[in-house]
Structures are given as structure tokens and as C-alpha cells.
Amino acid sequence: LGRVLVEDDGTWTMYYTTPNLAWGMPTQEIYRATAPTPDGPWTPDGGFALEGGQKESWNYQIGTTGVCKIEDTYRLYYTGFTGRNERDESAWSLPQLGVATSTDGATFEHSDGPVLPAMTFAEWENEGATSHAIRQREDGTWEMFYVGHPRPVYTFPNPANDTLQIGYATSEDGITWERYGTESIADTGETGYP
């Protein structure tokens, strides 16, 4: 899934966040803009499509992961952050995957909680997951690849140099996800955070 969707009438719709310039992190809103073609002109709606949760909730800060339309329902997948990490004030805490739904694609409502909660018992992912890549296979099964974080995410001023691990999960409906065991499926050999 991408952050851009082409509507049935040919309108291009983009969902995006703007970073908190002080930290380079997502803010508390996801916005929407539309255009007749990918070249634009792009017109922002003027409001936000999704607002983050209450302070200290799992989705206080949010960032767009992807969007899709299933029949008459839009799904907006996003990464939610609790905010500052309690153990390290220079880091963000527990990124988790959430989904919000909408009937018009303009305003979304959150699900009750994260659809891929943090797996805090696995060392390679004990500080959450980001960079979710989601798709629906031809057989209808949903699959997701994601980056697990062994240290608090976005530690400042310098990111940790842990080797990044890739996780995998599947779902029959795109809402309820099951991880492929408790181990990562790949070691990227790369360090730092994406």
C-alpha cells in the first residue's frame, strides 16, 4: 500500500504528515490532499483526516503508512507513538501499527487499539516496529514486512547503531495480524534507523 490512492472517478488522493521540525518526528495529524493528475495541482482539504490520540496514549503521535479502499470502506494504516520514552527523554517510545477507517476517505476513526502491538518480549523488537510495508496478495491474504527496534526509536542526538531486523506478519482481513513466530525473518546488515 502506498500513501496515494486513485479514486474511481480518477481523482488522486494523498495522505501525509508534516514533521515536528524540532525533532523530525510525525505530528499529531494526518492530512489529505487531492489532485486531478499526479502532477497536480494538489489541493489540501484544509483540515486533517486523522488526529492522534490523547496524550500518553499508544497513538499520541502518528505517521502515515498506507491507505487502501475495500469496497466502500477506506483503511488508513499508520504508525502510532506514545510520545517521549520514559527511560530516555531523547527518544520516542513504542511505535505500533494502527488502522483507522472511513466511509468518505476524508475523515477517519481510530480502531480500539494497535492492530500490531509491540512485541516487548522479543529483544529484536522490544521497542516496537516501524516502516510497515503492507499488501494484499492475489489469494486475498494480507501480508506485512516491518522493521523491529531493539532500542528506543529515534534516539537523539545520534541514532543507535543496532543491526535492523525485518519482521513478517499475515492477516485474513487486514485488521487482525499474526506474526511469523517470535524471531525476525531477516537481518538487514544495516545499522541505524530508517
Side-chain angles (χ1 to χ4, degrees), residues 88-158:
D88 181 353
E89 284 294 317
S90 69
W92 289 80
S93 185
L94 286 179
Q96 302 177 84
L97 179 71
V99 66
T101 56
S102 172
T103 56
D104 63 6
T107 56
F108 288 78
E109 292 186 17
H110 293 278
S111 58
D112 291 335
V115 294
L116 190 72
M119 188 168 60
T120 56
F121 57 85
E123 184 177 342
W124 70 276
E125 191 190 332
N126 67 359
E127 289 289 347
T130 60
S131 304
H132 306 90
I134 301 167
R135 74 180 191 115
Q136 189 174 27
R137 298 189 311 219
E138 288 183 14
D139 67 4
T141 302
W142 292 79
E143 63 183 352
M144 174 195 324
F145 297 89
Y146 61 93
V147 175
H149 293 278
R151 302 264 188 274
V153 177
Y154 300 104
T155 304
F156 291 98
N158 296 311

Side-chain angles (χ1 to χ4, degrees), residues 67-95:
V67 65
C68 65
K69 186 176 180 184
I70 309 294
E71 297 177 0
D72 294 330
T73 302
Y74 294 83
R75 289 185 190 168
L76 180 63
Y77 292 92
Y78 63 93
T79 302
F81 296 84
T82 58
R84 292 280 179 229
N85 187 296
E86 294 173 7
R87 295 177 300 230
D88 181 353
E89 284 294 317
S90 69
W92 289 80
S93 185
L94 286 179

Side-chain angles (χ1 to χ4, degrees), residues 2 6 8 11 20 24 31 35 37 49 59 61 63 87 89 97-98 102 111 122-123 146 166-167 170 173 178 182 190:
V6 181
D8 294 338
T11 301
N20 175 325
Y31 300 93
T37 69
N59 58 357
Q61 302 288 104
R87 295 177 300 230
E89 284 294 317
L97 179 71
S102 172
S111 58
E123 184 177 342
Y146 61 93
I166 305 297
T170 58
D173 60 7
E178 184 176 337
T182 59
E190 299 293 324

Side-chain angles (χ1 to χ4, degrees), residues 26-78:
T27 58
Q28 292 174 283
E29 298 90 18
I30 293 175
Y31 300 93
R32 183 180 95 136
T34 57
T37 69
D39 295 332
W42 288 91
T43 305
D45 282 355
F48 47 81
L50 182 67
E51 185 175 19
Q54 299 296 316
K55 188 170 185 173
E56 298 183 16
S57 65
W58 73 271
N59 58 357
Y60 177 58
Q61 302 288 104
I62 54 178
T64 310
T65 292
V67 65
C68 65
K69 186 176 180 184
I70 309 294
E71 297 177 0
D72 294 330
T73 302
Y74 294 83
R75 289 185 190 168
L76 180 63
Y77 292 92
Y78 63 93

